[in-house]
Amino acid sequence: MLEPAERYTGYKAYDYLEPGVDYRVFDYAKQIGRVPEYAGLELTTAEAERAERLLREEMVISLHEHVQVFPENMDLLKDHIRQGREPTGYEGLARSGLTVVFDNGMDGTCCISSDAGWKYQDVLFDLGVRMADLAHQDFVIKAETLKDIHYAHETGRIAHVFALEAATMIENEVDRLDVLYGFGVRQMGIAYSEANTLGSGLKERGDGGLTYFGERAVARMNKLGIAIDISHSGDRTCVDVIKASTKPVFITHAGARTVWPTNRMKTDETIIECARRGGVIGIEAAPHTTLSPEHPKHSLESVMDHFTYCVDLVGLEHVSFGPDTLFGDHVGLHHAFSSQLSLGQAHGQVEFDEVPYVDGVENPAEAMGNIIGWLVKHGYSDDEIRAVVGGNTMRVLEEVWV
């Protein structure tokens, strides 16, 4: 893990407010050192120096994270969420080496006014409060354009891109996409596990594909310059979206169903169609997702089994990473929101041993550093590493963000 970035001044979320007066105070999980550092890489000195150089110097992009800090006591999670003030983990991000992070906020767990989540007013509140906090510091900057990303890279900052895992909150109002774009959203999913007005999610018994309204929404996202994500959509809906979009689409955080046969993973057909039209798959690492027969105890190694499979399937230029990590007990979050996140239907087809955390890819501070270390250890060239940790994503954004 890197030393803190030079530009980081020590700012903590909502430092401009008075704790206990302006908002309720919770004890939050450690951003650094909550779990032991990963010991599985065993890099030589030369390999470690090369990995650190790449992490410091190259454009490093995570296609999917949740960079908030969660309560240490997860029994208080819903009380914390209800106040609608999610703290960004600036301390952890300062050690991450990230140039760009696609932050997906609370999404289906944005339960400010309703336990069901996905309410339009709640999503806007979450986005607005997070933006207010970002505006009070100068290390993690709100990014809406390619120019913003290059500025962050050149000046030692982190470009923070707002993303949403589904378009459920737009209901049947296509113009809400324009509003969300105005709030800074630059990437959006179609459906999150449950079907919505656009199409089917991956948990449904039947997948009716992209709806007529979904086609309108895809066309509007293309016109606005919102990158489309199909990670949680059903199989038919995924392929329909790829074909309906005039721009490449992302699978921001998933793995290969051939490697681990659950609904949460993507079929070869979906991955191939995504790549054929210029898109990229970001390899997922949230607990109990990208497991593999060779590494059934979820760790960096099982995550990379999905990476190597996808590279063999569609080529290195169509693969990247969206680790989907956060600061706090991710397994505890899944337990608290198992129904909203449809975990039974997404992961329940195959038995697995639960782990307390994903060793090596536990949080945003360590994820990309360990991934780069693994790539160095396994003989990938600097050019290949540049491509999969940032270059492939930038290629798509250059076409999508008009």
Side-chain angles (χ1 to χ4, degrees):
M1 192 178 298
L2 295 173
E3 292 298 313
E6 291 182 10
R7 277 200 171 270
Y8 178 57
T9 62
Y11 180 87
K12 294 179 174 57
Y14 309 111
D15 265 355
Y16 62 96
L17 297 177
E18 185 176 351
V21 174
D22 294 313
Y23 61 92
R24 180 179 171 183
V25 177
F26 292 84
D27 291 327
Y28 288 102
K30 292 181 180 178
Q31 296 173 48
I32 305 296
R34 193 186 80 86
V35 300
E37 286 194 29
Y38 185 58
L41 286 176
E42 298 182 347
L43 301 178
T44 66
T45 299
E47 290 170 337
E49 289 175 350
R50 180 175 166 228
E52 182 172 336
R53 172 181 58 79
L54 289 164
L55 185 61
R56 284 190 180 278
E57 296 178 0
E58 301 303 329
M59 181 84 75
V60 179
I61 303 175
S62 173
L63 265 175
H64 190 98
E65 300 288 4
H66 300 270
V67 300
Q68 306 95 299
V69 192
F70 285 79
E72 187 172 355
N73 181 358
M74 293 298 275
D75 291 338
L76 300 175
L77 178 59
K78 292 191 177 182
D79 290 339
H80 158 70
I81 289 173
R82 193 73 72 187
Q83 73 168 340
R85 193 172 293 279
E86 300 296 324
T88 299
Y90 296 102
E91 179 188 7
L93 287 174
R95 292 173 176 264
S96 69
L98 285 167
T99 311
V100 186
V101 59
F102 283 76
D103 179 13
N104 285 259
M106 293 308 298
D107 294 306
T109 60
C110 187
C111 300
I112 299 170
S113 66
S114 165
D115 284 342
W118 297 113
K119 299 298 180 284
Y120 182 59
Q121 69 271 19
D122 289 0
V123 171
L124 292 182
F125 188 93
D126 180 47
L127 290 169
V129 170
R130 295 285 304 287
M131 283 189 280
D133 185 45
L134 288 176
H136 281 83
Q137 51 80 59
D138 191 42
F139 171 56
V140 179
I141 61 171
K142 181 185 176 187
E144 300 175 333
T145 65
L146 293 169
K147 183 178 178 181
D148 293 335
I149 288 176
H150 289 296
Y151 173 74
H153 191 211
E154 292 162 3
T155 60
R157 292 173 166 89
I158 294 178
H160 175 285
V161 182
F162 280 109
L164 299 170
E165 292 198 57
T168 303
M169 76 293 297
I170 74 169
E171 299 178 309
N172 62 343
E173 300 278 356
V174 74
D175 288 341
R176 287 184 177 179
L177 291 168
D178 298 62
V179 176
L180 291 164
Y181 183 90
F183 267 72
V185 174
R186 293 295 182 270
Q187 183 189 90
M188 186 179 295
I190 298 298
Y192 186 98
S193 296
E194 292 184 349
N196 59 22
T197 55
L198 286 77
S200 286
L202 57 83
K203 86 168 196 177
E204 303 297 351
R205 294 186 184 92
D207 183 349
L210 192 66
T211 65
Y212 286 120
F213 177 76
E215 290 178 357
R216 288 182 61 204
V218 166
R220 183 65 63 87
M221 291 183 204
N222 287 162
K223 291 173 182 176
L224 283 165
I226 295 176
I228 296 173
D229 175 25
I230 55 172
S231 297
H232 283 275
S233 297
D235 296 340
R236 178 181 170 186
T237 298
C238 283
V239 175
D240 285 354
V241 171
I242 294 166
K243 293 179 178 178
S245 177
T246 60
K247 305 290 178 66
V249 306
F250 285 121
I251 304 168
T252 67
H253 59 301
R257 197 174 300 173
T258 300
V259 177
W260 195 249
T262 67
N263 288 347
R264 184 62 187 83
M265 302 293 98
K266 293 303 174 191
T267 64
D268 284 3
E269 179 192 10
T270 298
I271 298 168
I272 289 169
E273 286 297 324
C274 177
R276 183 176 292 153
R277 291 172 177 255
V280 166
I281 180 172
I283 304 301
E284 158 86 80
H288 312 124
T289 56
T290 42
L291 300 170
S292 71
E294 291 76 15
H295 300 98
K297 184 177 180 181
H298 207 185
S299 70
L300 175 63
E301 292 297 331
S302 43
V303 172
M304 300 309 288
D305 286 340
H306 286 263
F307 168 77
T308 55
Y309 179 84
C310 290
V311 168
D312 289 342
L313 181 67
V314 293
L316 184 138
E317 65 272 23
H318 295 290
V319 186
S320 189
F321 295 94
D324 191 9
T325 65
L326 50 81
F327 294 110
D329 181 2
H330 204 158
V331 175
L333 174 70
H334 283 178
H335 288 166
F337 283 101
S338 60
S339 59
Q340 280 97 330
L341 301 177
S342 303
L343 296 182
Q345 295 91 343
H347 308 302
Q349 301 94 329
V350 181
E351 291 186 4
F352 59 87
D353 292 329
E354 184 172 281
V355 294
Y357 62 92
V358 183
D359 198 13
V361 204
E362 196 271 339
N363 65 73
E366 72 165 14
M368 292 307 295
N370 285 335
I371 286 168
I372 289 174
W374 188 98
L375 293 167
V376 167
K377 185 73 175 179
H378 288 79
Y380 289 83
S381 70
D382 283 9
D383 285 345
E384 289 172 328
I385 294 172
R386 288 187 191 99
V388 298
V389 303
N392 295 339
T393 296
M394 286 297 290
R395 184 190 70 247
V396 175
L397 294 180
E398 286 164 1
E399 188 168 348
V400 174
W401 281 8
V402 295

